[in-house]
Amino acid sequence: GQNIDQPTEMTATEGAIVQINCTYQTSGFNGLFWYQQHAGEAPTFLSYNVLDGLEEKGRFSSFLSRSKGYSYLLLKELQMKDSASYLCAVLDSNYQLIWGAGTKLIIKP
Amino acid sequence: GAVVSQHPSRVICKSGTSVKIECRSLDFQATTMFWYRQFPKQSLMLMATSNEGSKATYEQGVEKDKFLINHASLTLSTLTVTSAHPEDSSFYICSATGTSGYNEQFFGPGTRLTVL
Protein backbone atom coordinates (compact mmCIF):
# COMPACT_ATOMS: atom_id res chain seq x y z
CA GLY A 1 0.00 0.00 0.00
CA GLN A 2 0.91 3.62 -0.15
CA ASN A 3 2.13 5.31 2.97
CA ILE A 4 3.48 8.66 4.05
CA ASP A 5 4.89 9.14 7.54
CA GLN A 6 5.60 12.38 9.35
CA PRO A 7 5.71 13.24 13.04
CA THR A 8 2.39 14.15 14.58
CA GLU A 9 3.60 17.17 16.51
CA MET A 10 6.76 19.18 17.06
CA THR A 11 7.61 22.11 19.30
CA ALA A 12 10.24 24.76 18.64
CA THR A 13 11.29 28.15 19.94
CA GLU A 14 10.80 31.47 18.19
CA GLY A 15 13.93 32.40 16.24
CA ALA A 16 15.21 28.83 16.11
CA ILE A 17 15.40 26.27 13.30
CA VAL A 18 13.19 23.19 12.93
CA GLN A 19 13.30 20.26 10.53
CA ILE A 20 10.14 18.31 9.73
CA ASN A 21 10.79 14.89 8.21
CA CYS A 22 8.65 12.92 5.80
CA THR A 23 9.19 9.38 4.56
CA TYR A 24 7.12 7.83 1.84
CA GLN A 25 6.34 4.55 0.12
CA THR A 26 4.23 5.06 -2.98
CA SER A 27 3.52 3.40 -6.29
CA GLY A 28 5.63 5.60 -8.48
CA PHE A 29 6.85 9.11 -7.84
CA ASN A 30 6.19 12.31 -9.72
CA GLY A 31 7.18 14.81 -7.09
CA LEU A 32 6.73 15.73 -3.45
CA PHE A 33 4.88 18.75 -2.10
CA TRP A 34 4.92 20.54 1.21
CA TYR A 35 1.86 22.53 2.22
CA GLN A 36 1.19 24.74 5.24
CA GLN A 37 -2.23 24.67 6.84
CA HIS A 38 -3.35 27.01 9.60
CA ALA A 39 -6.21 25.83 11.78
CA GLY A 40 -9.56 26.22 10.05
CA GLU A 41 -8.00 27.20 6.75
CA ALA A 42 -7.15 25.43 3.51
CA PRO A 43 -3.58 24.33 2.74
CA THR A 44 -1.22 26.72 1.00
CA PHE A 45 1.63 25.63 -1.24
CA LEU A 46 5.17 25.84 0.13
CA SER A 47 7.43 23.78 -2.08
CA TYR A 48 7.77 21.11 -4.73
CA ASN A 49 10.70 18.71 -5.20
CA VAL A 50 11.06 16.19 -7.99
CA LEU A 51 14.85 15.93 -8.18
CA ASP A 52 17.23 15.04 -5.35
CA GLY A 53 18.66 17.91 -3.42
CA LEU A 54 17.80 21.04 -1.55
CA GLU A 55 15.41 23.74 -2.74
CA GLU A 56 15.66 27.00 -0.82
CA LYS A 57 12.94 29.61 -0.74
CA GLY A 58 13.51 32.34 1.81
CA ARG A 59 13.23 31.02 5.35
CA PHE A 60 11.92 27.68 4.10
CA SER A 61 13.93 24.93 2.41
CA SER A 62 12.89 21.47 1.25
CA PHE A 63 15.12 18.48 0.65
CA LEU A 64 14.48 15.28 -1.27
CA SER A 65 16.24 11.93 -1.52
CA ARG A 66 14.33 9.68 -3.89
CA SER A 67 16.52 6.64 -3.24
CA LYS A 68 15.69 6.87 0.47
CA GLY A 69 12.06 7.86 0.04
CA TYR A 70 12.75 10.81 2.29
CA SER A 71 12.15 14.52 2.41
CA TYR A 72 12.40 17.24 4.99
CA LEU A 73 11.13 20.78 5.35
CA LEU A 74 13.52 23.14 7.11
CA LEU A 75 12.18 26.31 8.67
CA LYS A 76 14.66 28.95 9.81
CA GLU A 77 14.26 32.04 12.00
CA LEU A 78 10.97 30.74 13.27
CA GLN A 79 8.17 33.22 13.82
CA MET A 80 5.01 32.79 15.85
CA LYS A 81 2.97 32.87 12.64
CA ASP A 82 4.73 29.66 11.55
CA SER A 83 2.62 27.77 14.07
CA ALA A 84 0.56 25.55 11.77
CA SER A 85 0.29 22.04 10.41
CA TYR A 86 2.72 21.07 7.67
CA LEU A 87 1.51 18.49 5.18
CA CYS A 88 3.74 16.29 3.06
CA ALA A 89 2.15 14.94 -0.13
CA VAL A 90 3.52 12.74 -2.91
CA LEU A 91 2.31 12.63 -6.50
CA ASP A 92 2.17 8.97 -7.42
CA SER A 93 2.45 7.25 -10.82
CA ASN A 94 -1.22 8.07 -11.55
CA TYR A 95 -0.58 11.72 -10.72
CA GLN A 96 -2.73 11.38 -7.64
CA LEU A 97 -1.66 13.21 -4.50
CA ILE A 98 -1.09 10.95 -1.51
CA TRP A 99 -1.27 12.98 1.69
CA GLY A 100 0.53 12.55 4.97
CA ALA A 101 -1.39 13.17 8.19
CA GLY A 102 0.45 16.40 8.79
CA THR A 103 2.83 17.66 11.47
CA LYS A 104 1.48 20.19 13.92
CA LEU A 105 4.24 22.70 14.67
CA ILE A 106 3.97 24.67 17.91
CA ILE A 107 6.17 27.74 18.26
CA LYS A 108 6.92 28.99 21.77
CA PRO A 109 8.23 32.47 22.60
CA GLY B 1 -1.25 33.64 -8.91
CA ALA B 2 -4.00 31.09 -9.35
CA VAL B 3 -6.99 31.75 -7.11
CA VAL B 4 -9.73 29.34 -6.17
CA SER B 5 -12.85 30.50 -4.39
CA GLN B 6 -15.36 28.46 -2.49
CA HIS B 7 -18.87 29.34 -1.40
CA PRO B 8 -20.27 29.28 1.19
CA SER B 9 -17.49 29.44 3.75
CA ARG B 10 -19.77 28.16 6.50
CA VAL B 11 -23.14 26.48 6.46
CA ILE B 12 -25.35 25.11 9.20
CA CYS B 13 -28.28 22.97 8.16
CA LYS B 14 -30.83 20.58 9.59
CA SER B 15 -30.48 16.86 9.22
CA GLY B 16 -32.09 15.60 6.02
CA THR B 17 -31.53 18.71 3.95
CA SER B 18 -29.19 19.07 0.98
CA VAL B 19 -26.30 21.49 0.79
CA LYS B 20 -24.52 22.72 -2.34
CA ILE B 21 -20.93 23.95 -2.24
CA GLU B 22 -19.44 25.85 -5.17
CA CYS B 23 -15.79 25.87 -6.19
CA ARG B 24 -14.55 28.35 -8.77
CA SER B 25 -11.17 28.96 -10.36
CA LEU B 26 -11.08 32.74 -10.73
CA ASP B 27 -8.15 33.46 -13.00
CA PHE B 28 -7.35 30.20 -14.73
CA GLN B 29 -9.07 27.29 -16.40
CA ALA B 30 -9.05 24.22 -14.21
CA THR B 31 -9.00 21.03 -16.20
CA THR B 32 -9.27 18.97 -13.05
CA MET B 33 -10.86 19.76 -9.71
CA PHE B 34 -10.62 17.77 -6.51
CA TRP B 35 -12.92 17.55 -3.52
CA TYR B 36 -11.48 16.78 -0.10
CA ARG B 37 -12.96 16.28 3.34
CA GLN B 38 -11.03 16.93 6.51
CA PHE B 39 -12.12 15.94 10.00
CA PRO B 40 -10.57 17.70 13.01
CA LYS B 41 -6.91 16.91 13.57
CA GLN B 42 -6.82 14.62 10.55
CA SER B 43 -5.29 14.96 7.13
CA LEU B 44 -7.07 15.66 3.90
CA MET B 45 -9.14 12.80 2.52
CA LEU B 46 -9.72 12.86 -1.21
CA MET B 47 -13.38 12.27 -2.00
CA ALA B 48 -13.45 12.59 -5.76
CA THR B 49 -11.69 13.90 -8.81
CA SER B 50 -13.64 15.64 -11.53
CA ASN B 51 -12.78 16.70 -15.06
CA GLU B 52 -14.83 19.24 -16.94
CA GLY B 53 -17.65 17.65 -18.89
CA SER B 54 -17.22 14.13 -17.56
CA LYS B 55 -18.38 12.14 -14.55
CA ALA B 56 -16.41 12.42 -11.36
CA THR B 57 -14.19 9.60 -10.17
CA TYR B 58 -15.00 8.77 -6.57
CA GLU B 59 -12.60 7.30 -4.03
CA GLN B 60 -13.41 4.00 -2.43
CA GLY B 61 -15.95 4.34 0.33
CA VAL B 62 -17.40 7.63 -0.92
CA GLU B 63 -21.05 7.35 -1.90
CA LYS B 64 -21.59 8.95 -5.29
CA ASP B 65 -25.34 9.22 -4.75
CA LYS B 66 -24.82 11.11 -1.54
CA PHE B 67 -22.04 13.42 -2.69
CA LEU B 68 -23.09 14.69 -6.11
CA ILE B 69 -20.38 16.40 -8.09
CA ASN B 70 -20.99 18.49 -11.18
CA HIS B 71 -18.13 19.99 -13.18
CA ALA B 72 -20.05 21.89 -15.83
CA SER B 73 -17.33 24.29 -16.93
CA LEU B 74 -13.58 24.81 -16.74
CA THR B 75 -14.05 27.25 -13.89
CA LEU B 76 -16.84 25.76 -11.79
CA SER B 77 -17.41 22.55 -9.88
CA THR B 78 -20.16 21.92 -7.34
CA LEU B 79 -20.48 19.39 -4.55
CA THR B 80 -23.97 18.65 -3.24
CA VAL B 81 -24.29 16.79 0.03
CA THR B 82 -27.70 15.18 -0.22
CA SER B 83 -29.80 14.31 2.82
CA ALA B 84 -27.06 15.50 5.14
CA HIS B 85 -26.64 13.90 8.56
CA PRO B 86 -24.59 15.00 11.57
CA GLU B 87 -21.78 12.60 10.62
CA ASP B 88 -21.37 14.59 7.39
CA SER B 89 -20.28 17.60 9.43
CA SER B 90 -16.76 18.35 8.29
CA PHE B 91 -14.45 20.79 6.52
CA TYR B 92 -14.87 20.40 2.75
CA ILE B 93 -12.07 21.74 0.56
CA CYS B 94 -11.83 21.91 -3.19
CA SER B 95 -8.69 22.31 -5.24
CA ALA B 96 -7.92 22.77 -8.89
CA THR B 97 -4.97 21.83 -11.04
CA GLY B 98 -3.55 24.80 -12.82
CA THR B 99 -1.25 25.17 -15.77
CA SER B 100 2.06 24.82 -13.96
CA GLY B 101 4.25 22.00 -15.15
CA TYR B 102 4.07 19.96 -12.00
CA ASN B 103 0.36 19.59 -11.31
CA GLU B 104 0.33 21.93 -8.34
CA GLN B 105 -3.06 22.01 -6.70
CA PHE B 106 -4.50 25.36 -5.74
CA PHE B 107 -6.87 25.14 -2.83
CA GLY B 108 -10.07 26.97 -2.11
CA PRO B 109 -10.57 28.40 1.38
CA GLY B 110 -12.81 25.52 2.45
CA THR B 111 -16.41 25.19 3.62
CA ARG B 112 -17.27 24.32 7.20
CA LEU B 113 -20.45 22.23 7.18
CA THR B 114 -22.35 21.64 10.40
CA VAL B 115 -25.39 19.40 10.30
CA LEU B 116 -27.66 19.64 13.32
Side-chain angles (χ1 to χ4, degrees):
Chain A
Q2 310 206 86
N3 193 50
I4 295 185
D5 287 317
Q6 49 181 133
T8 304
E9 187 174 297
M10 299 181 70
T11 302
T13 305
E14 189 177 16
I17 299 173
V18 71
Q19 178 175 311
I20 303 174
N21 296 324
C22 170
T23 57
Y24 62 89
Q25 292 174 315
T26 57
S27 55
F29 179 84
N30 282 298
L32 184 145
F33 293 83
W34 283 96
Y35 282 84
Q36 180 191 61
Q37 186 178 24
H38 285 99
E41 299 180 11
T44 55
F45 170 82
L46 289 178
S47 68
Y48 171 76
N49 294 70
V50 68
L51 300 177
D52 289 349
L54 186 68
E55 295 276 344
E56 297 187 75
K57 191 186 294 185
R59 294 190 299 116
F60 293 4
S61 302
S62 56
F63 171 83
L64 174 68
S65 168
R66 288 172 296 171
S67 62
K68 296 181 179 178
Y70 167 70
S71 172
Y72 67 73
L73 180 69
L74 190 71
L75 293 77
K76 303 177 183 177
E77 301 170 16
L78 286 170
Q79 302 175 10
M80 298 303 293
K81 67 179 182 180
D82 297 330
S83 292
S85 287
Y86 291 86
L87 306 174
C88 173
V90 171
L91 207 56
D92 70 7
S93 58
N94 294 319
Y95 288 91
Q96 180 167 323
L97 264 184
I98 310 300
W99 292 88
T103 298
K104 182 179 180 180
L105 177 63
I106 300 169
I107 309 296
K108 295 185 176 180
Chain B
V3 179
V4 176
S5 71
Q6 214 172 313
H7 177 80
S9 57
R10 289 179 182 272
V11 59
I12 301 173
C13 68
K14 293 182 179 180
S15 185
T17 60
S18 294
V19 175
K20 179 186 282 189
I21 303 170
E22 290 188 351
C23 177
R24 294 181 184 272
S25 57
L26 299 185
D27 52 0
F28 68 102
Q29 292 186 327
T31 53
T32 305
M33 286 185 167
F34 305 86
W35 286 97
Y36 292 89
R37 181 167 52 181
Q38 187 175 34
F39 293 106
K41 298 184 180 181
Q42 295 186 22
S43 189
L44 299 170
M45 292 172 49
L46 180 65
M47 299 175 67
T49 302
S50 73
N51 293 293
E52 183 264 340
S54 60
K55 291 183 179 180
T57 302
Y58 289 80
E59 295 300 300
Q60 193 171 8
V62 179
E63 301 174 56
K64 61 180 67 177
D65 293 331
K66 180 170 181 63
F67 298 99
L68 301 178
I69 292 173
N70 184 286
H71 194 161
S73 75
L74 284 171
T75 59
L76 173 65
S77 177
T78 60
L79 167 68
T80 302
V81 183
T82 61
S83 187
H85 289 95
E87 57 265 31
D88 298 323
S89 298
S90 187
F91 192 45
Y92 291 86
I93 310 172
C94 74
S95 70
T97 300
T99 56
S100 63
Y102 46 79
N103 292 290
E104 177 188 343
Q105 290 188 23
F106 299 96
F107 285 86
T111 297
R112 176 76 59 191
L113 171 63
T114 303
V115 184
L116 303 176

